[in-house]
Amino acid sequence: MLTVSAPTIARAQDAAVDTGEIIVNARRESESLQDVPVSVQVVTGSNLQKLAITNVEEVSKLAPGLTLVSNGSSTAITLRGVTWQPGSGTPATPIYFNDAPFDPGNTITSLFDVGQIEVLRGPQGTTRGAPSISGAVTITTRRPDLEELGGYVQGLYGSGDHRDLQAAINVPIIKNVLAVRLATNIEDSDGTRVFSVNSSVKPKFKDRSYRATVLFNPTDTVSIVGMYQRRRTQSLVYSQVAGTGSPGLAALNIPANFNGPALSVKDQASVQDLPSEINQHVDLLTINATWEVFGHKLSYNYGNQMNTSPDSHNAVDPLNILPGFEAFASPGYIGKPKFRTHEIRISSMPDPDRPFEYDIGWFSKRSSGVQSFDSPTYLPGAFGSPISAVPGNITVPNDRYVLNSATRIQIGQVFDSFYGNIRLHPDDKTELSGGFAIIRDRIPVDVDIKTFAAFNAFTDPRLPSRALCPFAAPGAIASPVYTSGVVCEVGIPDGFRNATQANNDKYTAAIYNFSLSRKINDELLVYATTGSSFRTGLPALNNPGLPDDFVTPSPEKAKSYEVGVKATFGRAFRINASAFQLDYKNQLTAFEGINYFNTVSGRVAQTSLAFYRNIDARVRGFEVEIGARPIENLNLGANISYSKIKSRGGQVPCNDGVLPTEGDPIHFCSSAKGQVLNALAPFQATVNGSYDLPITDAIGGYFRFNVNYQGKNPNFGNFRQTDGSFREAKSYALVDLFAGLAGSGGAWDLGFYAKNVFNQKVELSRIATFNSVYPSFAAASGYDVVRSTRPRELGVTLRYAFGSR
């Protein structure tokens, strides 16, 4: 936490409570954070504003152990050591937006006009619709104020041409009955700030978002909140690389560094000729209604995600094997995908004469859509005669030697959860709670891959291992295009590599959650919980040509055990701590950059986003949150997270130096018991604080800091050394500083910030990428694809607010 005190999220979400109490909705009702037997971390809208956070990825600075990467189809979420990426199954960490669990890839983008973010750790699913064992993240937007007119406008300008404008206005239409809140976010920047040495096109991130929220309280017992959000984003993104560049290949007259110069991680550079273009047009609609009647609360929550995104253009040549030409795959949608959720919940209201409370509910998710992937394969001859062609001589491919394929994937999910919970209070200080849910999940999938006619030219007499025409292959003819030397070609007819797949997997499972808590006194709470979870693995859609046997994994099952303590010592000090263990059966473990034989293109490719393999695993860890106010104007906080995930033994996909073949499409290596499977550092911590300095009755100054520490990561496959072995990731710390002046009551604020003050450029991941775009140019690329921390950003912020804000 940034401070020991924080705004409540009752109807006046911004009002600071005198007691410094933090109110959360972790268990679907407003409770004091210190009274909830759950590990919860809170990030308020005020925290986001004070630390100039506009990107959801920076939330991890306040909630260590949680990592959010917002990048369209490359979105990733990590909590308690477990990482989820699109295409690797049902989300392991659901993201709730106003109590609706939307598709994370279209939800966790830029942040604006947020009321509160809660990071819930531990089993979910008996109180919320989407099951999860590691936790969930809830994002609540600001609700209208029924009594007072108000609003704010705030601007930010920083390095990387980062411009962000946010504004909101709150208008009571009928006092205490009807109010409207309008909010917007306009943001532009250089995105990841990875530029290409081979292109003048700048990286870009552009966001235009608009939100309208209506609150209607016709009576004291009825409340209806409707929110509609429209978001349009465009990103131009380069893949960062590091390495010496190609050493060339003298036998084929391929010069050294034909694809680019030597680059280090600190250069934060790419060698692509053009960036990927990712467009998102996504609208969200949520409705939250409650009715208090006969001692109960009837709740209805609705979510609708409307995706009208145009086709994206993903660059597939990050190593620049084809200088002067950028190859693209074009994923998109046919028609408009559907994504809807419904939840109906009946809860008993507190009654001092009744020693228990209960709730029952039904949650439903229905999603469907048709995705398209158009991806060309460049065959020998596409960029010149296979005898004499060298990289860069020809930059427009000959369509005769381009194998085009069209992949259409119709995928959906029909999910229902029926759940119930009960809380017993044997006495005033003890609570025993239990929950149970029945899950029904069906995943209908139809895949249709069509390939079109093309010609495959060969051969090169300088490579004696290749046979010469006319004995190279049945049906070989002399090439009508390349007549110099002996060049042959073989025709590939329409449909030569067509493929189909149909799934209609159905699952039913039961999950549970039990908790026992005891208030030793008003300042000390201890608790223990246990729970289970069930998660289906969606087909691996982003890996075209992956053999059917490796497309759909078995469902994941898990059990959780946790003990915790929460202690408060007046307003001056607070500490919350927990220790946990997660046992996974058939865990959906994500792997990137795995070599496999693409049955569509007929050559070896690499998984671009994730390939998963069921394996048993165990996670053990702990979390500690500390808040302190040693003096009146000084607030300090620290958060520590440790979670190490270890294999229980099994087989995992790997790159063992031998390329896969059609008969052996993926290679597996033994995962020894105890092998670390963390994608990110097991140990993470943040330390933050603020000091307010009164200057006059109307003006005050402030200083704030945030230090984010990432420990060593012993992961088995991220960092490749020159000898081919792998090393662990080094530890590092990022420091952010903030200072400024603020008016009385927060009416205005002028601030200056420096993020990543010491400009740490740390390598976060590395994938040993090989040339799969055009193997005829056989020289080694000399690069690996990497990801690193964002460079230093210096900037200024200005905010003005009035009324209810």
Side-chain angles (χ1 to χ4, degrees):
M1 286 294 299
L2 178 67
T3 64
V4 113
S5 61
T8 177
I9 57 168
R11 294 187 181 181
Q13 288 171 316
D14 281 326
V17 287
D18 294 336
T19 62
E21 187 177 29
I22 301 171
I23 304 299
V24 297
N25 279 295
R27 300 197 295 180
R28 311 299 294 277
E29 64 179 69
S30 297
E31 300 176 277
S32 171
L33 173 65
Q34 294 304 103
D35 293 337
V36 179
V38 178
S39 180
V40 185
Q41 284 182 292
V42 179
V43 179
T44 67
S46 176
N47 295 152
L48 301 176
Q49 182 262 322
K50 289 178 179 178
L51 298 184
I53 292 177
T54 62
N55 191 309
V56 73
E57 296 183 14
E58 293 189 89
V59 172
S60 61
K61 293 180 178 180
L62 300 177
L66 170 70
T67 301
L68 303 173
V69 177
S70 176
N71 188 20
S73 60
S74 296
T75 294
I77 307 170
T78 300
L79 184 62
R80 286 191 166 177
V82 180
T83 297
W84 173 88
Q85 291 180 276
S88 64
T90 302
T93 303
I95 306 294
Y96 288 86
F97 195 76
N98 291 341
D99 272 336
F102 289 117
D103 173 18
N106 294 311
T107 304
I108 56 169
T109 49
S110 57
L111 298 171
F112 70 103
D113 205 41
V114 170
Q116 187 151 293
I117 300 174
E118 296 181 16
V119 182
L120 314 177
R121 302 171 191 265
Q124 309 291 317
T126 65
T127 56
R128 296 183 180 273
S132 168
I133 199 69
S134 59
V137 178
T138 66
I139 301 174
T140 305
T141 61
R142 297 277 294 279
R143 300 176 67 176
D145 188 311
L146 290 169
E147 297 182 359
E148 185 180 8
L149 177 73
Y152 70 88
V153 60
Q154 67 183 44
L156 173 152
Y157 184 78
S159 307
D161 202 21
H162 185 190
R163 294 164 287 164
D164 184 86
L165 176 66
Q166 298 184 20
I169 185 168
N170 184 91
V171 181
I173 307 299
I174 304 175
K175 190 174 182 179
N176 296 322
V177 176
L178 179 66
V180 176
R181 185 178 186 88
L182 304 176
T184 187
N185 180 72
I186 298 174
E187 184 174 10
D188 294 276
S189 72
D190 289 339
T192 60
R193 295 167 68 181
V194 173
F195 292 77
S196 176
V197 298
N198 292 318
S199 175
S200 61
V201 179
K202 294 175 58 177
K204 178 173 73 172
F205 174 76
K206 177 181 178 181
D207 179 282
R208 301 292 183 268
S209 297
Y210 311 93
R211 181 186 300 150
T213 307
V214 178
L215 172 59
F216 180 45
N217 282 8
T219 71
D220 291 339
T221 60
V222 175
S223 174
I224 303 173
V225 183
M227 186 282 299
Y228 186 85
Q229 174 180 290
R230 165 159 289 191
R231 166 165 273 140
R232 301 291 184 264
T233 63
Q234 180 188 36
S235 299
L236 299 180
V237 183
Y238 290 102
S239 295
Q240 184 180 354
V241 296
T244 60
S246 176
L249 188 60
L252 297 180
N253 296 322
I254 298 177
N257 296 104
F258 74 89
N259 54 347
L263 297 170
S264 70
V265 172
K266 293 184 178 181
D267 290 317
Q268 288 195 297
S270 172
V271 292
Q272 289 173 209
D273 289 306
L274 288 172
S276 297
E277 181 179 2
I278 303 171
N279 298 291
Q280 285 191 331
H281 293 183
V282 178
D283 296 351
L284 301 179
L285 171 65
T286 62
I287 298 175
N288 308 105
T290 61
W291 180 27
E292 297 176 3
V293 58
F294 301 126
H296 288 75
K297 179 185 287 187
L298 177 63
S299 304
Y300 172 67
N301 298 304
Y302 171 78
N304 188 357
Q305 177 178 299
M306 295 151 279
N307 192 336
T308 58
S309 302
D311 290 354
S312 294
H313 302 284
N314 293 338
V316 297
D317 187 18
L319 308 177
N320 199 30
I321 299 300
L322 302 173
F325 173 79
E326 190 57 63
F328 291 95
S330 299
Y333 295 95
I334 299 175
K336 186 168 74 172
K338 298 178 181 179
F339 189 108
R340 294 187 179 94
T341 66
H342 300 268
E343 183 186 29
I344 298 175
R345 184 171 179 263
I346 301 175
S347 309
S348 63
M349 299 183 66
D351 185 341
D353 296 326
R354 186 180 58 224
F356 63 91
E357 293 91 36
Y358 60 89
D359 63 77
I360 57 174
W362 165 69
F363 171 81
S364 168
K365 180 175 75 172
R366 302 290 187 270
S367 62
S368 63
V370 180
Q371 291 183 287
S372 63
F373 298 90
D374 295 329
S375 181
T377 298
Y378 300 99
L379 304 174
F383 290 92
S385 167
I387 292 179
S388 58
V390 294
N393 280 5
I394 295 178
T395 57
V396 178
N398 187 330
D399 289 341
R400 181 181 180 88
Y401 305 105
V402 178
L403 175 66
N404 289 299
S405 64
T407 302
R408 301 294 181 265
I409 303 174
Q410 183 172 339
I411 183 170
Q413 187 173 22
V414 181
F415 180 92
D416 291 279
S417 174
F418 304 89
Y419 62 86
N421 299 274
I422 187 168
R423 298 183 202 168
L424 304 175
H425 304 279
D427 56 51
D428 292 341
K429 296 183 179 297
T430 306
E431 178 185 282
L432 176 63
S433 64
F436 189 75
I438 300 295
I439 296 170
R440 295 177 180 174
D441 199 2
R442 182 168 64 89
I443 307 174
V445 178
D446 286 293
V447 181
D448 181 49
I449 303 175
K450 289 185 170 62
T451 61
F452 304 98
F455 287 87
N456 191 359
F458 59 98
T459 186
D460 189 339
R462 291 170 294 180
L463 299 180
S465 62
R466 298 186 184 182
L468 300 179
C469 183
F471 309 107
I477 60 173
S479 168
V481 177
Y482 303 115
T483 56
S484 60
V486 181
V487 179
C488 304
E489 63 184 35
V490 173
I492 301 174
D494 277 336
F496 180 71
R497 291 191 176 272
N498 285 359
T500 60
Q501 176 193 344
N503 292 71
N504 194 19
D505 302 311
K506 300 178 182 179
Y507 306 97
T508 300
I511 61 175
Y512 63 85
N513 188 49
F514 295 100
S515 174
L516 175 63
S517 62
R518 174 76 178 178
K519 293 195 73 170
I520 306 302
N521 52 47
D522 291 340
E523 290 79 30
L524 181 62
L525 171 75
V526 294
Y527 66 89
T529 66
T530 183
S532 65
S533 185
F534 178 90
R535 187 164 69 100
T536 54
L538 300 178
L541 303 182
N542 293 302
N543 299 300
L546 190 68
D548 290 353
D549 292 347
F550 303 103
V551 169
T552 305
S554 301
E556 171 189 277
K557 300 178 182 180
K559 294 182 179 180
S560 170
Y561 310 91
E562 181 175 340
V563 293
V565 58
K566 295 188 173 186
T568 304
F569 305 91
R571 297 185 61 184
F573 189 76
R574 183 186 74 249
I575 181 169
N576 298 334
S578 63
F580 60 88
Q581 176 175 303
L582 307 178
D583 289 332
Y584 284 92
K585 181 71 174 177
N586 293 329
Q587 186 186 28
L588 298 173
T589 305
F591 295 86
E592 237 182 322
I594 299 300
N595 299 340
Y596 74 98
F597 187 85
N598 186 330
T599 58
V600 174
S601 66
R603 64 171 60 154
V604 176
Q606 279 191 318
T607 54
S608 56
L609 292 178
F611 175 73
Y612 40 82
R613 177 70 171 177
N614 295 118
I615 190 172
D616 294 349
R618 169 171 288 173
V619 184
R620 285 178 172 168
F622 63 86
E623 292 145 353
V624 180
E625 179 183 6
I626 301 172
R629 183 182 293 175
I631 58 177
E632 181 62 26
N633 295 324
L634 176 63
N635 291 281
L636 299 173
N639 289 278
I640 298 171
S641 172
Y642 177 84
S643 55
K644 180 174 284 189
I645 181 169
K646 293 184 177 181
S647 169
R648 304 300 299 275
Q651 296 288 312
V652 295
C654 65
N655 298 330
D656 57 3
V658 180
L659 292 181
T661 63
E662 189 165 9
D664 184 20
I666 295 177
H667 292 171
F668 290 89
C669 299
S670 176
S671 175
K673 185 176 181 180
Q675 182 180 23
V676 177
L677 299 176
N678 288 64
L680 301 174
F683 183 84
Q684 303 176 30
T686 63
V687 178
N688 48 60
S690 66
Y691 180 72
D692 297 323
L693 177 65
I695 299 176
T696 69
D697 290 341
I699 300 176
Y702 62 81
F703 172 77
R704 301 170 188 141
F705 71 90
N706 189 84
V707 180
N708 182 257
Y709 175 81
Q710 301 285 320
K712 294 181 180 180
N713 181 11
N715 187 24
F716 61 93
N718 270 352
F719 294 85
R720 188 183 67 169
Q721 301 186 98
T722 55
D723 63 358
S725 62
F726 291 87
R727 61 177 174 83
E728 66 182 9
K730 294 182 178 179
S731 60
Y732 66 94
L734 302 180
V735 179
D736 298 343
L737 299 177
F738 310 83
L741 300 173
S744 176
W748 60 268
D749 186 306
L750 173 63
F752 301 89
Y753 68 87
K755 297 182 181 181
N756 191 3
V757 172
F758 301 105
N759 202 25
Q760 291 265 45
K761 296 182 179 179
V762 181
E763 187 173 333
L764 302 178
S765 67
R766 177 181 289 259
I767 299 174
T769 310
F770 73 98
N771 169 18
S772 61
V773 66
Y774 198 63
S776 294
F777 295 154
S781 71
Y783 293 123
D784 287 336
V785 173
V786 300
R787 185 172 67 89
S788 65
T789 53
R790 294 197 180 190
R792 177 171 50 219
E793 180 178 342
L794 306 177
V796 59
T797 62
L798 180 63
R799 176 184 172 91
Y800 173 74
F802 68 96
S804 63
R805 305 177 190 180

